[in-house]
Amino acid sequence: MEGNFIHDIIDKDIADHKYSRHIITRFPPEPNGYLHIGHVKSICLNFGTALKYGGTCNLRYDDTNPTKEDEEFVGSIEEDVKWLGFEWDKLNYASNYFDKMYVCAQELIKRGLAYACEMTPEQIHETRGTLTEPGKEAPDRNRSAEESLKIFEDMKNGKYEDGVMCIRAKIDMASPNINMRDPVIYRVLHTSHHNTGDKWCIYPMYDFAHPLEDAIEGITHSLCTLEFEDHRPFYEWVLKSLDWPEPPQQIEFAKLNLSNTIMSKRNIRALVATGDVEGFDDPRLCTIAGMRRRGYTPEALRNFCDAIGVAKANSQIGMDQLEYFVRDDLKDKVESRFVIFDPIKLTITNYEDGKTETCTIENNQNVPEMGSHTLPFSKHLYVEREDFMEIPAKKYFRLFPGNEVRLKGAYFVTCNEVIKDADGKVVELLCTYDPETKSGTPGADARKVKGTIHWIDAETAVDIPVRQFGYLAYPNEETGRNEFDPNSRIELTAKAEPITKEAKPGERFQFFRNGYYVADTKLSKDGEPVFNQIVGLKSTYRP
Ligand code: ATP
Ligand code: MG
């Protein structure tokens, strides 16, 4: 992992012997949705930092808010972190600390640093002031600790309705930082919790719970995104007020913002709910589940996160950069197949009727050790319509009347004549081949030709379903907000060399000269793979 400003801070802390324990980080998702590429950045940073310093990283469900969580999400999060290649030290639920948090709030009350407040959430909001004006102190701010403790206990025992009583930290209603104006630390909420059931009818607020969760786990460096910068003074206040020894420190970094997608868990849930996408693992989504099904590799995602680095300022990363790393990881790993998307017939007029022979194709041009496979060749072939131009453009070296090209792994052929249908559309190319040019035979390459194209044998070609994907979303011209593109998935049937049908679910390929594809893990059946486009071959991004 590349160094970054967070590692500079940690280096200094180590040099200063700030902590008597090893470096401990945590990845703390709220289990209210599927993890997405933004979380991948956080996972890589937290787990990567622990690895770099020989420390540990915990996976912690930040499940202190009972209204939003769901067990389905809990399972998916563990699967996703493992798939990315990371191992957590401890798996924790923040809700398991409710007892300790309750005691911490009692302690603050005892120290005169918190009080029971009778104001409703609306009243608290109205009296908190603005950026230019101080807030107003609550009438019951100077209630005695004994009385506040008693009320707190009654709150816990269900004597209050939601919203009529809360516990607030006693800090400074005139603080320039609104988060320090007596924030609520505990509220009444008569709601069951997925982990603690009906044990509690009071719940800690996030800003109070989070520093305690970190401190209880012995976290040294609590990495979070920039929007929590203004919350850091309260984070530090909580731990200082409790005299917590060697408290963790919060460090903020910029969120990953990716173009042409829809990121937050809430917005992704909405896309799933409306049925715009197939589910949380729709291959167009930037959820980890979606990217996995799309055929992206964990290595590609990790390399991407390493390359974009960690900064203090928000910016947007282009989807082309992510795609670059996907392509880069696959290029030396997967076998290639000849697949024709828009076929045009090619007939070799001087080739014997009914004869077939086999041609040998390297499985990966870059990696000879990956071996080769064979495919049949005969008089009747298909080539890609794009590989023919009746009137060639400048620098077009592929098929056009009078031109000779190499059929990859087979022979040189020359296009002599074209056949058109009634509408004038070219439907067949009549070619002759040179029997002396078979690939791999001595002297085959004696003559240089500039164009090499792929092909498949018409007789043995198999049809394969393919799903091509565009970007999930484009910015709305007026609002600038990314909006779902309903045309982002196209389903088609392509023609392929026979071995293509043997693809196992999850197996990735290069469709030669076209792009990378994966046999879908959900839709493929034995011997009947359905392919998802992973990424095209052409890159606009330059590292
Ligand atoms: P969302 O808005 O998508 O729900 P969140 O921030 O609410 O995201 P959490 O489950 O609270 O999601 O986040 C778990 C961790 O992942 C947090 O530490 C959070 O800062 C980090 N995280 C979330 N989104 C991003 C992002 N886009 N880039 C980097 N880190 C992120
Ligand atoms: Mg959230």
Side-chain angles (χ1 to χ4, degrees):
M1 179 174 215
E2 299 259 328
N4 58 49
F5 78 95
I6 293 174
H7 295 163
D8 295 343
I9 296 173
I10 297 177
D11 287 337
K12 180 161 187 313
D13 290 346
I14 291 173
D16 294 348
H17 302 287
K18 182 165 175 183
Y19 294 102
S20 53
R21 54 190 185 274
H22 66 239
I23 299 299
I24 310 179
T25 56
R26 85 288 174 263
F27 173 63
E30 199 183 336
N32 62 348
Y34 275 68
L35 299 183
H36 53 64
I37 185 77
H39 298 108
V40 176
K41 175 171 174 172
S42 177
I43 293 169
C44 289
L45 176 62
N46 280 296
F47 284 89
T49 297
L51 280 171
K52 176 174 167 137
Y53 290 98
T56 51
C57 180
N58 293 343
L59 174 59
R60 179 203 307 147
Y61 291 113
D62 223 322
D63 61 349
T64 52
N65 181 355
T67 52
K68 283 194 277 178
E69 285 110 21
D70 198 308
E71 285 294 337
E72 175 194 0
F73 301 128
V74 167
S76 78
I77 288 171
E78 285 158 54
E79 182 184 0
D80 288 349
V81 173
K82 280 191 216 151
W83 179 77
L84 277 174
F86 294 110
E87 272 176 58
W88 51 85
D89 179 33
K90 300 195 176 65
L91 173 64
N92 297 320
Y93 285 81
S95 54
N96 286 342
Y97 311 141
F98 281 160
D99 285 300
K100 290 188 173 124
M101 291 172 184
Y102 180 75
V103 172
C104 289
Q106 280 179 319
E107 184 60 30
L108 288 182
I109 296 173
K110 286 179 198 161
R111 294 182 181 205
L113 295 171
Y115 60 98
C117 178
E118 244 164 281
M119 290 168 98
T120 63
E122 295 72 40
Q123 288 167 328
I124 291 174
H125 187 79
E126 280 159 18
T127 52
R128 55 184 232 162
T130 63
L131 287 175
T132 49
E133 281 167 58
K136 284 196 200 69
E137 294 191 351
D140 42 12
R141 192 172 196 262
N142 294 316
R143 201 195 287 282
S144 72
E146 289 70 31
E147 201 186 338
S148 285
L149 280 173
K150 177 75 181 72
I151 296 174
F152 192 29
E153 197 178 344
D154 288 345
M155 281 167 63
K156 173 169 162 271
N157 292 334
K159 296 210 179 130
Y160 292 96
E161 296 296 306
D162 292 4
V164 300
M165 190 63 88
C166 64
I167 304 294
R168 295 174 73 177
K170 189 171 176 180
I171 312 179
D172 178 7
M173 287 307 289
S175 170
N177 183 341
I178 295 183
N179 296 306
M180 297 296 273
R181 295 183 188 168
D182 290 12
V184 175
I185 61 174
Y186 256 95
R187 59 178 166 162
V188 178
L189 200 61
H190 291 267
T191 302
S192 353
H193 185 279
H194 79 104
N195 183 29
T196 57
D198 290 323
K199 178 173 175 194
W200 297 92
C201 61
I202 54 170
Y203 291 96
M205 302 303 287
Y206 178 85
D207 275 352
F208 176 62
H210 201 84
L212 295 177
E213 294 161 24
D214 286 343
I216 291 166
E217 292 180 17
I219 303 302
T220 54
H221 298 83
S222 173
L223 314 180
C224 66
T225 46
L226 279 183
E227 68 273 24
F228 290 98
E229 196 167 13
D230 290 345
H231 300 240
R232 188 184 346 126
F234 184 62
Y235 182 103
E236 291 172 350
W237 181 91
V238 170
L239 298 176
K240 190 161 181 290
S241 301
L242 292 165
D243 291 319
W244 207 288
E246 296 187 22
Q249 63 174 310
Q250 172 179 311
I251 307 171
E252 308 85 20
F253 65 95
K255 269 196 164 177
L256 167 61
N257 214 326
L258 193 62
S259 75
N260 296 102
T261 191
I262 290 174
M263 276 267 244
S264 91
K265 284 184 286 196
R266 184 171 51 87
N267 294 334
I268 293 171
R269 281 201 310 267
L271 279 176
V272 172
T274 54
D276 281 338
V277 295
E278 292 164 40
F280 286 104
D281 61 356
D282 187 297
R284 289 165 294 179
L285 287 175
C286 67
T287 52
I288 298 179
M291 295 189 291
R292 175 166 59 229
R293 192 169 162 205
R294 178 74 176 258
Y296 288 13
T297 57
E299 293 83 357
L301 295 179
R302 293 200 307 259
N303 293 342
F304 167 72
C305 287
D306 235 7
I308 58 173
V310 180
K312 260 290 190 201
N314 284 314
S315 63
Q316 181 168 281
I317 305 284
M319 190 61 103
D320 56 340
Q321 190 170 350
L322 173 56
E323 291 178 339
Y324 167 86
F325 285 95
V326 174
R327 208 179 280 120
D328 187 59
D329 185 52
L330 293 177
K331 70 178 193 306
D332 296 337
K333 284 188 178 169
V334 302
E335 295 191 2
S336 75
R337 298 286 183 262
F338 285 181
V339 177
I340 304 286
F341 282 78
D342 186 7
I344 183 167
K345 271 197 222 165
L346 185 154
T347 303
I348 304 175
T349 51
N350 60 338
Y351 196 88
E352 209 177 303
D353 278 331
K355 175 179 168 181
T356 43
E357 59 185 296
T358 51
C359 293
T360 303
I361 304 291
E362 304 144 291
N363 286 329
N364 185 314
Q365 282 187 314
N366 303 331
V367 189
E369 306 82 73
M370 285 180 68
S372 60
H373 69 273
T374 59
L375 76 167
F377 179 90
S378 74
K379 185 183 183 86
H380 299 285
L381 308 175
Y382 290 120
V383 294
E384 205 62 85
R385 183 169 290 278
E386 263 194 2
D387 287 333
F388 171 78
M389 275 184 108
E390 194 169 9
I391 300 160
K394 249 195 180 158
K395 296 202 172 153
Y396 187 85
F397 302 119
R398 290 169 276 164
L399 280 169
F400 55 85
N403 195 40
E404 184 174 49
V405 299
R406 175 191 287 108
L407 294 180
K408 173 84 178 163
Y411 295 95
F412 289 11
V413 295
T414 303
C415 176
N416 302 307
E417 210 180 313
V418 302
I419 297 179
K420 297 182 181 177
D421 66 9
D423 302 327
K425 185 179 175 189
V426 176
V427 291
E428 190 174 350
L429 308 174
L430 300 182
C431 300
T432 45
Y433 85 118
D434 177 350
E436 303 303 315
T437 57
K438 181 152 189 196
S439 172
T441 60
D445 273 323
R447 200 161 61 241
K448 289 293 161 216
V449 294
K450 280 190 168 161
T452 299
I453 66 171
H454 64 292
W455 50 276
I456 51 175
D457 169 48
E459 183 72 26
T460 55
V462 293
D463 283 344
I464 53 164
V466 179
R467 301 165 0 125
Q468 301 274 74
F469 301 114
Y471 289 144
L472 178 80
Y474 286 89
N476 174 297
E477 275 181 22
E478 272 156 37
T479 64
R481 277 176 62 90
N482 277 348
E483 279 177 8
F484 174 67
D485 175 6
N487 301 315
S488 45
R489 183 183 62 216
I490 297 170
E491 308 196 26
L492 48 87
T493 302
K495 291 194 176 296
E497 55 171 305
I499 192 181
T500 313
K501 282 266 192 194
E502 293 170 20
K504 303 271 173 301
E507 204 177 350
R508 305 176 181 92
F509 300 92
Q510 185 192 126
F511 288 176
F512 193 66
R513 298 176 58 225
N514 179 298
Y516 293 99
Y517 289 80
V518 64
D520 189 88
T521 46
K522 270 197 169 163
L523 304 173
S524 300
K525 299 207 177 64
D526 224 16
E528 294 294 334
V530 174
F531 289 93
N532 290 328
Q533 180 190 35
I534 305 173
V535 64
L537 284 187
K538 292 194 188 77
S539 178
T540 43
Y541 174 77
R542 295 275 166 268

